[in-house]
């Protein structure tokens, strides 16, 4: 049977030498979802990349005395390197300077122009260069950019416009007919009340004041507005309007665009209208996640609270960083980041609950039975209650992942691991071992622990890939598939476990 497809994207990142832990949130959460869907048997396509055009990049390149292309070529490696350190399992990395992307955007612009949805006019407006956004007087906050608080400049130029206004009613109808298009719900209300109800104005979609952008083919003093360029990546990456559009045919529409809350409006207003104008199907869901903040505020180099995420990976391990990010930020809201909170999570959940459980279990099997795990099949009430809880895990995690409550999915897994530690305390293996007649009972206890750990680890693969690999190695099992967790007892009785590996060391606070 052909697998069901699942297309998930992150936004494409502005190339930067200074990515911080907040930037990693979007890619880590998308990665966990992509890995989870692959585990469940979907044919997943996970896209990320870089957004490389615009005045901001051009200025930076000028500052350091290189061409914009040289500037982005060098810096884009930083993103790829960071995603590699974080074990981000993307299927494609798109750059908006890729030739196929450039051609695709040019064709999209031509199509919309030919259709009359893009027309030529004159633009007069207030422009925020760092945000690449135009604002009206009313939208400013204290006369400054409402997004970043910086100065805006009055700009007048000949420009092309995109008829957003024409599609306003269709967009509202689409929201109504597809109640899960924007998640969480609060973001939808924000879009309707703040942007759509006041009336959509046509959008200025070309620039003549700088040239680091995709040229408009029929009027080459204009370059395409970066957001039109950038949003198109979700279909250009699949070969839309190219000689080979097989990926496009297979994967579009996207199942999920994961984006930070500040760019929800581009993804739920401009992007769906572009697709409507192109007569293409719309993505099934745009999920606007919250931010990682420090003391309630932004993470930034100038505020002095910035550290390269690779420093945390080096100190605490990649899965500690992944776990923190996935566990700490609840569904859609902001989460506070501090190194202390990262250490607390690592010690509390990863070292004390998971690490300790695996270590104790493997240690006891090696010590009491020379590493051999045997199931004697005699179950007591206390066993059945652990087994039932274990068998409920798959559905629980599935329910949370369906609603993108990744943090709750992890919480459910760790609740089960906690129950395992309790099970050890209650069955007291160290007492059973002293009485030869209780050795069969002891074998069962250890088997139940191993099988429960295995089942939890099958699911953990989505979130903590390195840790899961190490646990499977310690358990000496290759029964790691999603199908193997619907029944209890797939771990082969008679298997000899390997020697223990330290999963997470407790971190001393001084560090
Ligand atoms: O917006 N916490 O790129 P970008 C959580 N190029 N997420 C954060 C964050 C934080 N503190 N800081 C940044 C762009 N992010 C555009 C996208 S898509 C067609 C074009 C997230 O590099 C941010 O919310 O500024 C976004 O999802 C991602 O990092 C990239 O942001």
């Amino acid at each position: 049977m052909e697998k069901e497809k699942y297309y998930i994207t992150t936004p494409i990142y502005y190339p930067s030498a200074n990515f911080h832990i907040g930037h990693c949130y979007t890619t880590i959460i998308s990665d966990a979802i992509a890995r989870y869907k692959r585990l469940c048997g979907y044919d997943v396509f996970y896209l990320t990349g870089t957004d490389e055009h615009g005045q901001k990049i051009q200025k930076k390149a000028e500052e350091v005395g290189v061409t914009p292309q040289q500037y982005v070529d060098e810096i884009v490696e930083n993103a790829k390197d960071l995603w590699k350190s974080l074990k981000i399992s993307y299927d494609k990395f798109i750059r908006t300077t890729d030739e196929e992307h450039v051609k695709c955007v040019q064709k999209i612009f031509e199509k919309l122009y030919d259709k009359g949805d893009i027309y030529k006019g004159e633009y007069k407006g207030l422009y925020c260069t760092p945000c690449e956004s135009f604002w009206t007087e009313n939208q400013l906050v204290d006369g400054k950019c409402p997004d970043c608080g910086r100065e805006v400049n009055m700009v007048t130029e000949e420009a092309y416009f995109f008829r957003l206004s024409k599609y306003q009613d269709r967009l509202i109808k689409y929201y109504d007919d597809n109640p899960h298009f924007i998640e969480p719900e609060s973001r939808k209300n924000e879009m309707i009340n703040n942007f759509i109800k006041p009336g959509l104005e046509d959008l200025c979609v070309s620039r003549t004041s700088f040239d680091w952008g995709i040229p408009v083919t029929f009027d080459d003093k204009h370059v395409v507005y970066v957001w039109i360029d950038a949003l198109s990546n979700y279909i250009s990456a699949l070969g839309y309007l190219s000689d080979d559009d097989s990926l496009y045919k297979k994967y579009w529409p996207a199942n999920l665009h994961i984006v930070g809350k500040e760019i929800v409006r581009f993804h739920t207003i401009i992007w769906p209208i572009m697709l409507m104008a192109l007569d293409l199907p719309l993505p099934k869901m745009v999920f606007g996640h919250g931010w990682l903040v420090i003391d309630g505020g932004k993470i930034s180099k100038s505020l002095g609270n910035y550290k390269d995420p690779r420093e945390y990976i080096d100190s605490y391990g990649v899965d500690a960083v992944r776990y923190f990010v996935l566990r700490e930020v609840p569904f859609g809201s902001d989460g506070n980041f501090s190194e202390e909170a990262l250490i607390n999570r690592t010690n509390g959940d990863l070292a004390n609950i998971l690490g300790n459980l695996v270590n104790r279990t493997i240690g006891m099997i090696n010590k009491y039975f020379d590493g051999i795990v045997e199931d004697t099949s005699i179950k007591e009430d206390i066993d059945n209650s652990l087994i039932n809880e274990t068998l409920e895990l798959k559905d629980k995690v599935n329910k949370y992942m369906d609603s993108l409550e990744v943090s709750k999915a992890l919480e459910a897994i760790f609740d089960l691991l906690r129950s395992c530690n309790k099970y050890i305390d209650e069955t007291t293996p160290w007492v059973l071992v002293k009485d030869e007649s209780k050795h069969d009972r002891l074998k069962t206890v250890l088997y139940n622990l191993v099988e429960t750990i295995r089942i939890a680890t099958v699911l953990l693969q989505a979130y903590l890939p390195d840790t899961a690999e190490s646990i499977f190695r310690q358990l000496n099992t290759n029964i790691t598939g999603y199908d193997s967790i619907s029944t209890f007892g797939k771990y082969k009785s008679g298997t000899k476990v390997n020697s223990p590996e330290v999963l997470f060391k407790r971190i001393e606070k001084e560090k």
Side-chain angles (χ1 to χ4, degrees):
M1 205 177 70
E2 207 178 316
K3 288 181 175 180
E4 197 178 327
K5 70 91 189 172
Y6 191 85
Y7 181 31
I8 173 169
T9 70
T10 71
I12 44 174
Y13 283 66
Y14 295 125
S16 168
N18 299 320
F19 285 125
H20 54 63
I21 188 78
H23 285 113
C24 305
Y25 184 67
T26 318
T27 45
I28 295 177
I29 192 172
S30 310
D31 186 65
I33 296 166
R35 284 177 186 269
Y36 180 74
K37 287 288 176 184
R38 282 190 205 108
L39 180 71
C40 296
Y42 285 80
D43 173 351
V44 173
F45 195 87
Y46 171 21
L47 178 72
T48 190
T50 38
D51 184 359
E52 303 182 11
H53 291 123
Q55 194 170 15
K56 199 165 44 174
I57 301 277
Q58 186 165 344
K59 279 198 172 150
K60 280 192 182 149
E62 277 162 13
E63 275 164 29
V64 289
V66 295
T67 64
Q69 186 67 54
Q70 283 168 328
Y71 177 78
V72 292
D73 282 349
E74 190 170 314
I75 214 162
V76 101
E77 291 307 316
N78 184 44
K80 287 190 173 167
D81 180 73
L82 178 59
W83 302 152
K84 196 170 163 202
S85 325
L86 283 166
K87 305 275 157 129
I88 304 301
S89 63
Y90 57 78
D91 294 288
K92 177 165 176 152
F93 189 100
I94 184 168
R95 300 181 54 182
T96 53
T97 50
D98 289 342
E99 198 186 328
E100 306 84 79
H101 172 79
V102 171
K103 281 194 191 144
C104 178
V105 171
Q106 289 179 321
K107 286 184 190 161
I108 288 175
F109 204 92
E110 281 168 19
K111 260 185 159 225
L112 297 178
Y113 182 73
D114 291 344
K115 204 180 161 189
D117 281 341
I118 283 182
Y119 62 93
K120 200 171 190 172
E122 191 177 65
Y123 191 80
K124 230 181 165 166
L126 298 157
Y127 190 63
C128 172
T129 306
C131 295
E132 323 249 16
S133 292
F134 277 100
W135 301 102
T136 61
E137 200 82 52
N138 297 341
Q139 288 170 321
L140 301 183
V141 176
D142 299 331
K144 305 233 164 89
C145 170
D147 270 0
C148 73
R150 280 178 268 210
E151 295 291 336
V152 291
N153 302 311
M154 179 60 86
V155 176
T156 310
E157 55 183 51
E158 175 194 279
Y160 287 90
F161 287 84
F162 180 37
R163 290 189 202 281
L164 288 189
S165 52
K166 173 177 156 188
Y167 290 92
Q168 173 162 333
D169 295 342
R170 254 179 83 181
L171 184 65
I172 293 176
K173 181 163 184 329
Y174 188 81
Y175 286 3
D176 287 343
D177 294 347
N178 298 274
H180 295 296
F181 176 60
I182 308 179
E183 289 283 349
E185 178 91 19
S186 56
R187 309 235 188 271
K188 173 159 84 185
N189 301 334
E190 202 181 307
M191 290 306 117
I192 295 175
N193 296 331
N194 298 358
F195 297 101
I196 303 179
K197 274 208 183 133
L200 286 180
E201 286 175 28
D202 290 353
L203 177 74
C204 178
V205 289
S206 78
R207 301 284 184 268
T208 50
S209 51
F210 60 94
D211 59 10
W212 181 240
I214 299 182
V216 173
T217 44
F218 50 88
D219 194 351
D220 65 9
K221 51 177 202 302
H222 291 260
V223 293
V224 176
Y225 171 47
V226 277
W227 274 100
I228 297 288
D229 169 352
L231 289 162
S232 305
N233 93 88
Y234 301 126
I235 49 178
S236 75
L238 301 177
Y240 172 66
L241 297 179
S242 78
D243 295 340
D244 178 4
D245 65 355
S246 49
L247 287 178
Y248 171 79
K249 285 194 176 122
K250 181 167 177 190
Y251 290 108
W252 191 257
N255 296 71
L256 181 61
H257 291 312
I258 298 255
V259 304
K261 61 182 180 181
E262 80 286 11
I263 53 175
V264 167
R265 75 189 166 97
F266 298 97
H267 286 82
T268 58
I269 297 176
I270 302 177
W271 180 226
I273 292 182
M274 280 172 70
L275 292 164
M276 283 175 183
L278 292 165
D279 287 320
L280 300 180
L282 267 52
K284 295 196 173 26
M285 186 188 287
V286 176
F287 179 80
H289 66 69
W291 288 339
L292 274 179
V293 294
I294 290 184
D295 297 331
K298 270 186 142 179
I299 309 173
S300 86
K301 207 160 192 182
S302 52
L303 292 175
N305 57 13
Y306 159 92
K307 235 188 191 184
D308 189 304
R310 278 159 288 210
E311 288 187 37
Y312 302 122
I313 299 175
D314 291 345
S315 304
Y316 311 118
V318 56
D319 281 349
V321 174
R322 288 177 64 106
Y323 182 78
F324 178 84
V325 167
L326 293 169
R327 181 67 184 80
E328 198 72 10
V329 187
F331 185 57
S333 349
D334 290 350
N336 206 49
F337 176 82
S338 70
E339 203 156 340
E340 196 184 348
L342 171 64
I343 293 174
N344 286 342
R345 277 277 175 213
T346 308
N347 284 344
D349 293 4
L350 297 174
N352 285 358
I353 299 175
L354 173 61
N356 193 21
L357 169 67
V358 176
N359 199 273
R360 278 163 102 186
T361 306
I362 299 280
M364 288 189 289
I365 297 165
N366 276 316
K367 191 165 156 201
Y368 302 154
F369 297 116
D370 246 351
I372 305 289
V373 184
E374 250 182 297
D375 184 12
T376 60
S377 296
I378 310 158
K379 307 285 183 201
E380 297 185 1
D381 282 353
I382 188 168
D383 306 339
N384 289 326
S385 113
L386 181 72
I387 292 169
N388 288 340
E389 198 185 333
T390 305
L391 290 174
E392 281 164 10
L393 185 65
K394 185 179 183 180
D395 285 348
K396 265 192 207 156
V397 168
N398 202 39
K399 182 185 118 227
Y400 289 132
M401 291 304 282
D402 263 356
S403 52
L404 303 179
E405 293 173 280
V406 179
S407 168
K408 286 205 173 149
L410 273 172
E411 197 179 344
I413 298 174
F414 276 75
D415 281 346
L416 178 66
L417 300 174
R418 219 179 261 119
S419 298
C420 285
N421 279 323
K422 195 165 152 243
Y423 177 80
I424 297 181
D425 295 342
E426 286 171 359
T427 52
T428 58
W430 52 92
V431 176
L432 298 176
V433 74
K434 288 188 187 140
D435 178 348
E436 189 108 18
S437 71
K438 302 234 166 89
H439 278 196
D440 273 359
R441 173 71 197 136
L442 177 57
K443 284 177 184 168
T444 301
V445 165
L446 293 173
Y447 181 88
N448 290 342
L449 285 168
V450 164
E451 176 62 345
T452 301
I453 293 170
R454 185 193 69 80
I455 289 178
T457 307
V458 166
L459 293 165
L460 277 180
Q461 291 177 103
Y463 316 92
L464 312 176
D466 278 6
T467 304
E469 208 181 298
S470 162
I471 298 175
F472 287 140
R473 195 164 45 236
Q474 295 180 60
L475 296 182
N476 191 18
T477 183
N478 55 12
I479 306 169
T480 60
Y482 192 63
D483 291 346
S484 74
I485 63 173
S486 303
T487 43
F488 195 91
K490 293 272 183 203
Y491 186 83
K492 264 203 209 93
S493 179
T495 305
K496 189 172 192 316
V497 298
N498 287 317
S499 36
E501 297 172 19
V502 176
L503 289 175
F504 297 95
K505 275 207 202 86
R506 268 193 69 82
I507 304 157
E508 298 309 322
K509 281 279 166 62
E510 302 81 73
K511 203 170 171 187

